[in-house]
Amino acid sequence: MRKIMVANPKGGSGKSTLAVHLASWFARNDEIVYLGDLDRQQSSRHWLAARPRHLAPIRHWDLSSEEFEAPPKDCSIAILDTPAGLHGKRLKSPLNEVDKVVVPVSPSRFDMLASREFFEELAETKAVRKDKVDIGIVGMRIDPRTHASRQLVEFLQQFDLPLVTCIRQAQRYVHAVETSTTMFDGNGFDAVERIQWKPLLDWLVRRH
Ligand SMILES: Nc1ncnc2c1ncn2[C@@H]1O[C@H](COP(=O)(O)OP(=O)(O)OP(=O)(O)O)[C@@H](O)[C@H]1O
Ligand SMILES: [Mg+2]
């Protein structure tokens, strides 16, 4: 079983969008996928509840109890969406359970600066866990050919964290999520998206 957490305490960085896309990608690839949501707003859970039944199934990973619950035994991929403002103990307990952490970062300078403390907290945890957890950054709503992506790479060098990929801004992401689907559910997944998602999907399945 692989456990993947999507986190960034900065609100609106693209966590839920990434989490549901990853869940549907793995579901389409015949994995038994569970999607959990630590957010009180339960964005991913609502998305999941309204997901059309004919699409590749994604199961609900119930995290409503106080203690962090492991996913059910039949799970092959567990995806965990998390809320804005997650830090301290509430961040540490899921961090200790997962194999990979994906951190979406938006292009603004403010978003990058707001991520600084979080990166430092992650680096500490990683050290504590002696490389048992892999942390990867995703530039969200960033065109990889632009100044914003170069700025992000420079910013990340201080933390020794890899920029796994950049995913461009596209209205289709917004529309897909609004209809409880993802870009991966249809057949209209275009070449640009394919190129942008591939490094992330490869990174997630790689064992370290
Ligand atoms: N690649 C993208 N292109 C266009 N819009 C995007 C993209 N990624 C995310 N968005 C939009 O940005 C907004 C915030 O995204 P999302 O809800 O995924 O962020 P979040 O980090 O989960 O937010 P919160 O911290 O409130 O849980 C949403 O309206 C979403 O549709
Ligand atoms: Mg969210």
Side-chain angles (χ1 to χ4, degrees):
M1 185 195 306
R2 275 167 218 275
K3 287 173 264 173
I4 300 162
M5 172 174 174
V6 185
N8 185 339
K10 181 82 176 67
S13 55
K15 298 177 285 293
S16 300
T17 303
L18 260 180
V20 300
H21 274 81
L22 292 175
S24 89
W25 167 265
F26 286 112
R28 269 204 83 158
N29 283 281
D30 300 326
E31 301 283 358
I32 303 198
V33 178
Y34 279 82
L35 177 63
D37 193 348
L38 285 180
D39 196 342
R40 275 203 203 100
Q41 287 175 25
Q42 298 274 292
S43 323
S44 303
R45 187 168 179 192
H46 293 312
W47 175 88
L48 187 53
R51 182 166 166 82
R53 299 238 173 272
H54 66 279
L55 297 176
I58 300 170
R59 292 144 176 97
H60 171 57
W61 173 12
D62 187 6
L63 290 162
S64 51
S65 80
E66 285 288 299
E67 290 293 306
F68 185 80
E69 298 244 359
K73 291 233 160 28
D74 65 342
C75 171
S76 61
I77 302 273
I79 310 272
L80 180 60
D81 189 13
T82 63
L86 191 69
H87 66 94
K89 205 174 151 218
R90 284 177 60 230
L91 169 66
K92 290 238 163 64
S93 83
L95 260 185
N96 283 327
E97 303 291 331
V98 299
D99 311 297
K100 306 249 178 185
V101 182
V102 183
V103 185
V105 180
S106 289
S108 95
R109 193 81 198 133
F110 295 127
D111 274 35
M112 291 186 212
L113 293 174
S115 304
R116 178 184 292 275
E117 260 178 55
F118 182 56
F119 290 157
E120 285 165 0
E121 203 168 349
L122 283 180
E124 249 173 58
T125 307
K126 189 175 159 145
V128 171
R129 291 195 58 199
K130 300 195 177 54
D131 283 342
K132 281 205 187 92
V133 61
D134 264 349
I135 298 157
I137 312 299
V138 171
M140 196 59 161
R141 282 180 267 169
I142 298 182
D143 187 319
R145 295 161 305 183
T146 58
H147 177 64
S149 109
R150 286 192 293 277
Q151 248 188 343
L152 183 55
V153 172
E154 264 171 42
F155 175 70
L156 291 176
Q157 274 163 0
Q158 311 162 53
F159 306 100
D160 194 23
L161 290 170
L163 179 62
V164 180
T165 194
C166 284
I167 291 171
R168 69 175 173 179
Q169 167 139 4
Q171 203 52 34
R172 288 166 66 197
Y173 286 106
V174 184
H175 180 69
V177 171
E178 275 170 0
T179 53
S180 277
T181 63
T182 71
M183 300 273 259
F184 299 136
D185 286 318
N187 295 319
F189 185 45
D190 83 23
V192 174
E193 265 65 46
R194 224 176 275 278
I195 291 167
Q196 293 183 349
W197 281 86
K198 191 166 186 314
L200 176 60
L201 299 164
D202 288 349
W203 180 80
L204 287 172
V205 296
R206 199 179 305 146
R207 301 236 176 245
H208 63 196

